[in-house]
Amino acid sequence: MLPQASTISQNVDSLFNFIFWISLISFIGVVVATIYFIVRYHRSRWDPFKTPYITGHSMMEISVSVGLFILVMIIFAWGWIDYKKIINAPSDPLEISVLGKQWMWEFEYANGRKLTNELVVPQGRPVKLIMSSADVLHSFYIPNFRLKQDVVPGTYTTLWFEATQVGEHPVFCAEYCGTAHSKMLATVKVLKPEEYDRWEKEEKKEEGASVSPVELGKNIFTQKDENYIRESLMQPQAKLVKGFPPVMPTFQGTLTDEEVNAIVAYLKSLK
Ligand SMILES: [Cu+2]
């Protein structure tokens, strides 16, 4: 089995094993019953020209239906409880931007530090990935964390996790995205909290000249006039405020993904 390296891994495995054993037991039951019926009701034992008259068995039919319904509902409820844990990030996670593009993963931290194909995170702290794609559909898949989320151009999807195991965990693109799809690999490097703090400080020193997304967004905001930021909404017709006519033109293509990310980071920082 794969290592269980996040807080949700165990939950996902438990449900998986439950479904696996139920399926295996059902499969064996069906095979055994089939063999029994083949032997028991073989035509050599009966008059081959006489079809037996079967009226049915209401009690058995009802109990099979109700029993299977209850089993399916148990699987559904179990899945729903874990699904809610997977989609609802705890408050105040460490937020990291992820950009998928043919054929690499780019990670950007709040301080502007950028990494390609390597995501460095602390152990035991919730991390929330805010993900988008520069081109086509991708999917961010960390098997050791038992997590997978589509990465979609033109919108943001999120994925949160809390890593429990220090070390390196592979990341795959799980949505076919072109020639080098199978080589679109990355690593999640989980560090002990104190090592992560050290790593963060080191990077800050090295990256002294780099501009954080908040600063970059502020620069773009102040350089251009106010209309620019308003018009820079990619699909201005998508969501309209009551009482305002849909007069805004689209500026899709005039802002890079990096700029859009930066503006979003800046606007969020204004709160
Ligand atoms: Cu991909």
Side-chain angles (χ1 to χ4, degrees), residues 63-229:
S63 45
V64 166
S65 304
V66 171
L68 289 179
F69 177 75
I70 290 170
L71 183 63
V72 168
M73 282 301 120
I74 289 171
I75 293 171
F76 171 76
W78 192 338
W80 177 248
I81 290 164
D82 287 343
Y83 175 72
K84 282 205 299 189
K85 285 181 198 156
I86 289 170
I87 58 164
N88 295 324
S91 57
D92 200 28
L94 172 65
E95 289 191 355
I96 301 169
S97 297
V98 178
L99 184 66
K101 54 170 119 170
Q102 290 167 321
W103 288 278
M104 60 207 267
W105 296 103
E106 275 183 9
F107 304 102
E108 186 173 2
Y109 291 76
N111 64 6
R113 170 72 182 155
K114 273 190 197 162
L115 298 176
T116 302
N117 294 338
E118 190 184 56
L119 174 62
V120 179
V121 297
Q123 179 196 26
R125 184 173 160 197
V127 174
K128 187 175 173 185
L129 305 180
I130 296 154
M131 313 194 289
S132 195
S133 167
D135 36 54
V136 298
L137 275 179
H138 300 283
S139 188
F140 196 78
Y141 178 34
I142 322 166
N144 290 359
F145 292 179
R146 309 290 190 275
L147 290 171
K148 187 196 287 172
Q149 173 62 54
D150 276 7
V151 178
V152 185
T155 190
Y156 292 96
T157 53
T158 61
L159 179 70
W160 88 270
F161 60 81
E162 186 180 320
T164 53
Q165 244 183 55
V166 169
E168 296 194 353
H169 307 286
V171 175
F172 299 90
C173 179
E175 183 70 56
Y176 181 67
C177 60
T179 318
H181 161 68
S182 62
K183 296 194 180 82
M184 191 167 163
L185 306 168
T187 308
V188 181
K189 199 170 164 189
V190 180
L191 301 177
K192 289 209 176 84
E194 58 273 17
E195 278 175 33
Y196 179 81
D197 290 343
R198 214 176 304 141
W199 175 83
E200 207 182 18
K201 276 172 203 139
E202 276 169 22
E203 297 302 340
K204 261 185 207 158
K205 246 184 276 166
E206 273 176 36
E207 295 282 311
S210 115
V211 183
S212 77
V214 174
E215 285 167 43
L216 182 59
K218 196 174 172 183
N219 290 345
I220 297 168
F221 188 89
T222 46
Q223 273 167 21
K224 324 271 174 165
D225 63 277
E226 279 175 16
N227 279 333
Y228 184 85
I229 194 84

